[in-house]
Amino acid sequence: MASVAQLIMLILAANTGQDNSYPSLLAPILRHLENTLELHLRSTEDFNNILVQTLLEQKDLPLKVAINQVVSESDSILHHFFIYEDVHKLHENLEEFTQSHGFYIVALERSVGAVEEQQLMLQFMETIWRQHGHNRIYYVQQKTKEVLLYNPFTQSTVLVEDSLSYQRIYSNLHGYVLRAYIFDSVYSALYGDGATKQVLKVTGPDAKVADTVAKHLNLTLNYIWPDDEFFGGRQPNGTFNGGIGRAHRRELDVIFAGFFIKDYLTTRIQFSAAVYMDDLCLFVQKAQRIPQSIVPLFAVRLDVWLCFLLVGFICSFIWMCLRALNLAVHIEGNERVKGVHYLSVGWRIFVDTWVVWVRVNINRFPPFNSERIFLASLCLVSVIFGALLESSLATAYIRPLYYRDPNTLAELDDSQIPIYIKHSAFKDDLFFGSDYEVYRRLNAKMLLVGEGEDRLISMVAKRGKFAGVTRSASLELNDRRFIMTHMVHKIPECPKTYHIGYVLPYPSPYIEGINNILLHILAGGILDFWINEMKERAKMNIHQYPEYLAELSVGKWKVFTLKDVQLAFYALAIGCVLASLVFLLEFWFKSS
């Protein structure tokens, strides 16, 4: 309590009449304050320091005062203030500057004047940068009333002039080497020597983004050979592998491969600005091709066949009703049907309706004008239906038909096939945590498998009996041939859509500079242009695959053979058998 009372008295007794230019001097620093600033004082005498008094007098400035206390590693305070007598005392307290989440303000009571002190100062700054990877330490020289920052890329100090002084350091890295990570993904490809694990070349839109960032920030990218687990994630034992693991352990500076922006169960990574979006989809083996012998039955949809049959029966009924009305009201012409039994008339009308409905000429025209008009309209409708059937049948012979594929996740669930995934992260990306019953059942069917010499999509295309998971854009690029050659079917209902960004360790001093370049690229539509260019190139390259050319029958006409018309012979055979059965029944009735 005595120390608190003494602190209040010291603040109230501060000399407010003296010239104090520190508020304007500290303004560029305090604008970046995101949390509490902790003042680490050596003793209560430090309250007499004009710089300390200036900080205490700032309105709306969250402060915490610690007297003669060591900074704890578990301390949640992001920003710290220290005061030292000279640069030698500063160098003795090197261990106080391990945290890299916020910034530090270091007040030096004696200016750095001698060459030896200047070298010691630069050595201290370089040590902090090499060991802890940060340089956001504002050095306030009270004698000269200057605020300095360390530029690790020129290994010199810069004078803080405004709130953008720190950002300007990272706008030009002067060729500084960054450890970059990239691998074979949807929009990136890596070429290198597997024996020496040396990256020779990277291509794709992601690689072009990396080159653009490197050009505008004047940095050099040193690509690290990727792990077997490209993306990586959290393991059951709590460790991390792949790109996530390397960023978690700060073994790299930036990953220029697209990652889903989601929780990877670590607070040591961060994402750049979202660069594009993509769906996470499932695919299965394409359904089998319908045999040529029954293709005409599948030439049109089932509802068209049902409509065709239903209209035929309805038209027969309407014609019968017209005939009954004509006979009932004694319309002229009924003398031609005298003495004919009504059942015989109804049967004759039923047969004539179906004869006209299948576009065959009838032998006898109806005797009443109303029926003739109805028959003319029936002929017109039969022409429309016939044209539809014929065009569909011709298309079916030219373009092969396939049995129905699953088009919804519910249909995939009903098929009872397992879902194979090649990345452990997909286990949490698709269905985990959903209350939807279908999602829960599909989540239970997911199995993690290792991708060997044969890729997962190739396994699905050849063997089937299981589904795979991939990004939608992948089926439009490298795996486009599997869709174009009808080897794989993409289920249109995709369970998840993600924003995608690049990954950096957290915290990273490069995040603002990289985001600035990325936002300019996105605003200009340059990344979309690169992606569309890659998709168009994938469309052109599809012609190099023999199976695709064979599927299109390039340079050949469709030649009909007996196999194409075998259904007609089957129908003829069935008709002959039925005719024989009817003949035998009639013969038996007549004999009896």
Side-chain angles (χ1 to χ4, degrees), residues 177-359:
V177 178
L178 290 190
R179 300 165 298 172
Y181 188 84
I182 202 170
F183 48 82
D184 291 334
S185 186
V186 177
Y187 295 128
S188 60
L190 180 145
Y191 302 91
D193 187 353
T196 60
K197 294 186 176 182
Q198 182 179 2
V199 178
L200 301 179
K201 183 177 69 171
V202 293
T203 60
D206 287 337
K208 291 180 179 179
V209 169
D211 292 339
T212 304
V213 170
K215 177 181 178 181
H216 285 80
L217 295 183
N218 192 16
L219 58 88
T220 303
L221 294 175
N222 179 26
Y223 287 105
I224 303 173
W225 188 261
D227 296 340
D228 294 335
E229 285 287 341
F230 291 158
F231 294 94
R234 184 184 175 93
Q235 301 300 299
N237 60 3
T239 60
F240 294 84
N241 61 0
I244 294 296
R246 293 206 174 192
H248 175 84
R249 297 186 296 270
R250 304 188 71 86
E251 296 176 358
L252 48 81
D253 296 309
V254 59
I255 302 178
F256 280 112
F259 279 69
F260 292 149
I261 298 179
K262 66 183 191 70
D263 185 11
Y264 287 91
L265 304 179
T266 174
T267 58
R268 298 184 182 179
I269 67 169
Q270 62 182 329
F271 295 97
S272 70
V275 289
Y276 41 79
M277 296 176 63
D278 203 356
D279 298 323
L280 199 58
C281 299
L282 294 98
F283 58 89
V284 295
Q285 187 183 40
K286 182 69 177 176
Q288 293 183 352
R289 184 173 175 176
I290 297 176
Q292 292 291 95
S293 59
I294 58 174
V295 159
L297 299 178
F298 294 87
V300 293
R301 292 169 47 179
L302 179 61
D303 55 352
V304 177
W305 281 119
L306 293 177
C307 181
F308 180 80
L309 297 175
L310 182 61
V311 171
F313 284 105
I314 292 176
C315 290
S316 299
F317 177 74
I318 294 175
W319 194 351
M320 292 178 188
C321 292
L322 286 174
R323 177 62 59 88
L325 289 173
N326 287 326
L327 294 175
V329 297
H330 304 287
I331 299 297
E332 182 181 358
N334 58 0
E335 67 278 356
R336 301 173 60 183
V337 293
K338 287 182 178 179
V340 181
H341 194 274
Y342 289 118
L343 290 178
S344 177
V345 172
W347 176 253
R348 182 73 260 170
I349 290 175
F350 179 79
V351 172
D352 287 346
T353 302
W354 282 100
V355 169
V356 174
W357 195 225
V358 295
R359 296 195 298 173

Side-chain angles (χ1 to χ4, degrees), residues 496-565:
K496 288 289 181 67
T497 300
Y498 284 96
H499 287 86
I500 296 176
Y502 304 127
V503 176
L504 297 89
Y506 180 79
S508 173
Y510 311 107
I511 183 69
E512 293 187 13
I514 291 177
N515 277 342
N516 184 36
I517 303 301
L518 290 180
L519 293 176
H520 279 81
I521 293 175
L522 296 174
I526 300 175
L527 183 56
D528 291 335
F529 169 76
W530 288 335
I531 291 175
N532 292 332
E533 182 184 37
M534 187 176 183
K535 291 180 179 179
E536 290 298 323
R537 190 177 294 111
K539 290 181 183 179
M540 293 186 290
N541 291 339
I542 191 67
H543 293 279
Q544 68 183 354
Y545 295 101
E547 61 269 22
Y548 177 71
L549 299 178
E551 186 74 22
L552 291 181
S553 299
V554 176
K556 298 181 181 179
W557 293 94
K558 173 62 181 176
V559 179
F560 287 99
T561 62
L562 288 178
K563 290 184 178 180
D564 297 318
V565 295

Side-chain angles (χ1 to χ4, degrees), residues 67-110:
I67 299 177
N68 199 19
Q69 294 182 7
V70 180
V71 178
S72 174
E73 294 184 0
S74 60
D75 197 345
S76 60
I77 302 297
L78 297 180
H79 314 296
H80 303 271
F81 171 86
F82 293 92
I83 184 169
Y84 297 104
E85 181 181 353
D86 53 23
V87 68
H88 297 280
K89 291 294 183 180
L90 172 64
H91 204 278
E92 293 175 0
N93 293 272
L94 184 64
E95 68 279 356
E96 301 285 353
F97 301 89
T98 58
Q99 295 186 11
S100 56
H101 293 75
F103 62 79
Y104 295 85
I105 302 176
V106 175
L108 297 177
E109 295 177 324
R110 277 194 347 213

Side-chain angles (χ1 to χ4, degrees), residues 301-577:
R301 292 169 47 179
L302 179 61
D303 55 352
V304 177
W305 281 119
L306 293 177
C307 181
F308 180 80
L309 297 175
L310 182 61
V311 171
F313 284 105
I314 292 176
C315 290
S316 299
F317 177 74
I318 294 175
W319 194 351
M320 292 178 188
C321 292
L322 286 174
R323 177 62 59 88
L325 289 173
N326 287 326
L327 294 175
V329 297
H330 304 287
I331 299 297
E332 182 181 358
N334 58 0
E335 67 278 356
R336 301 173 60 183
V337 293
K338 287 182 178 179
V340 181
H341 194 274
Y342 289 118
L343 290 178
S344 177
V345 172
W347 176 253
R348 182 73 260 170
I349 290 175
F350 179 79
V351 172
D352 287 346
T353 302
W354 282 100
V355 169
V356 174
W357 195 225
V358 295
R359 296 195 298 173
V360 179
N361 296 329
I362 58 175
N363 295 327
R364 189 175 181 182
F365 219 52
F368 303 101
N369 292 329
S370 60
E371 295 180 20
R372 293 171 182 173
I373 296 175
F374 173 74
L375 190 61
S377 64
L378 183 61
C379 290
L380 179 61
V381 177
S382 68
V383 170
I384 297 174
F385 262 104
L388 173 64
L389 294 174
E390 289 179 358
S391 61
S392 300
L393 184 60
T395 304
Y397 279 116
I398 297 173
R399 297 180 180 178
L401 295 180
Y402 296 82
Y403 289 109
R404 191 173 185 276
D405 295 294
N407 290 316
T408 64
L409 296 178
E411 293 176 357
L412 178 64
D413 180 42
D414 294 337
S415 66
Q416 299 298 321
I417 61 175
I419 302 173
Y420 288 178
I421 55 177
K422 57 185 178 180
H423 299 299
S424 58
F426 284 170
K427 183 71 174 177
D428 300 327
D429 293 341
L430 277 174
F431 311 110
F432 183 77
S434 176
D435 296 331
Y436 187 30
E437 184 63 29
V438 173
Y439 278 28
R440 289 203 298 266
R441 290 197 298 266
L442 291 174
N443 184 65
K445 297 176 183 177
M446 296 180 65
L447 299 173
L448 179 62
V449 295
E451 192 173 55
E453 296 180 359
D454 208 4
R455 298 180 60 231
L456 182 60
I457 190 170
S458 180
M459 294 166 58
V460 171
K462 294 177 182 178
R463 307 174 192 175
K465 298 182 180 179
F466 62 89
V469 180
T470 189
R471 281 170 50 179
S472 177
S474 179
L475 297 177
E476 300 179 24
L477 296 171
N478 299 331
D479 300 329
R480 187 182 189 89
R481 60 190 178 95
F482 292 99
I483 301 294
M484 299 289 288
T485 56
H486 304 289
M487 301 173 66
V488 165
H489 171 70
K490 170 192 168 184
I491 298 178
E493 183 181 358
C494 298
K496 288 289 181 67
T497 300
Y498 284 96
H499 287 86
I500 296 176
Y502 304 127
V503 176
L504 297 89
Y506 180 79
S508 173
Y510 311 107
I511 183 69
E512 293 187 13
I514 291 177
N515 277 342
N516 184 36
I517 303 301
L518 290 180
L519 293 176
H520 279 81
I521 293 175
L522 296 174
I526 300 175
L527 183 56
D528 291 335
F529 169 76
W530 288 335
I531 291 175
N532 292 332
E533 182 184 37
M534 187 176 183
K535 291 180 179 179
E536 290 298 323
R537 190 177 294 111
K539 290 181 183 179
M540 293 186 290
N541 291 339
I542 191 67
H543 293 279
Q544 68 183 354
Y545 295 101
E547 61 269 22
Y548 177 71
L549 299 178
E551 186 74 22
L552 291 181
S553 299
V554 176
K556 298 181 181 179
W557 293 94
K558 173 62 181 176
V559 179
F560 287 99
T561 62
L562 288 178
K563 290 184 178 180
D564 297 318
V565 295
Q566 54 185 310
L567 181 62
F569 293 99
Y570 293 154
L572 179 62
I574 294 173
C576 292
V577 171

Side-chain angles (χ1 to χ4, degrees), residues 159-180:
L159 184 65
V160 176
E161 299 175 349
D162 51 37
S163 59
L164 299 178
S165 297
Y166 179 76
Q167 283 80 359
R168 280 195 290 270
I169 293 177
Y170 288 92
S171 63
N172 184 359
L173 274 61
H174 297 276
Y176 190 79
V177 178
L178 290 190
R179 300 165 298 172

